[in-house]
């Protein structure tokens, strides 16, 4: 297998981003992909960052609040969050999430 192209999730050590949030991060030249496993009830505090963020729920339900507006996301819904817009949320059930950031989240490289 060409290691420069094909990779395995099992080679990415999960890191705890915050209580209840375990991340597996992939950085490319232009973006950061964050695969998360989140425990039911875990909260992501309202925050901002200068990156575009696309947020997907792969499994479960997650309540995402963007600019003060809460919305329950599941595998059929997603969010496109502009830079510097306040957002955060909580896992309603155990969840698997995917967040895609552009440009690269340099602040997450060492996580």
């Amino acid at each position: 297998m060409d290691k420069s192209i094909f990779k395995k999730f099992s080679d990415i050590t999960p890191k705890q981003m915050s209580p209840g949030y375990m991340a597996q991060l992939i950085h490319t030249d232009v973006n950061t992909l964050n695969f998360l496993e989140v425990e039911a009830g875990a909260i992501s505090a309202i925050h901002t960052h200068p990156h575009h963020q696309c947020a997907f729920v792969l499994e479960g339900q997650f309540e995402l609040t963007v600019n003060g507006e809460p919305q329950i996301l599941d595998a059929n819904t997603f969010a496109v969050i502009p830079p510097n817009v306040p957002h955060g949320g909580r896992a309603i059930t155990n969840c698997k999430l995917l967040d895609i950031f552009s440009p690269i989240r340099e602040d997450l490289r060492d996580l």
Side-chain angles (χ1 to χ4, degrees):
M1 176 165 66
D2 183 345
K3 292 280 190 181
S4 66
I5 300 210
F6 299 103
K7 315 251 185 212
K8 294 182 180 183
F9 278 103
S10 59
D11 292 336
I12 303 171
T13 303
K15 308 278 174 123
Q16 183 170 313
M17 290 191 71
S18 60
Y21 285 77
M22 294 301 291
Q24 287 179 292
L25 292 153
I26 299 169
H27 303 282
T28 72
D29 291 339
V30 295
N31 59 29
T32 296
L33 292 87
N34 188 5
F35 289 86
L36 293 151
E37 291 198 18
V38 185
E39 295 175 5
I43 294 173
S44 173
I46 299 294
H47 62 282
T48 63
H49 46 74
H51 309 84
H52 278 94
Q53 178 178 347
C54 294
F56 302 89
V57 174
L58 305 176
E59 292 180 17
Q61 289 188 318
F62 189 85
E63 182 181 62
L64 180 65
T65 299
V66 179
N67 224 12
E69 183 178 335
Q71 175 72 45
I72 295 176
L73 303 181
D74 58 23
N76 191 44
T77 52
F78 61 93
V80 179
I81 306 167
N84 302 309
V85 172
H87 61 282
R90 70 177 177 89
I92 296 170
T93 66
N94 288 339
C95 296
K96 290 187 179 181
L97 310 177
L98 169 60
D99 289 330
I100 302 173
F101 299 98
S102 179
I104 297 167
R105 287 288 302 260
E106 294 293 345
D107 59 320
L108 299 180
R109 277 202 188 268
D110 295 330
L111 184 66

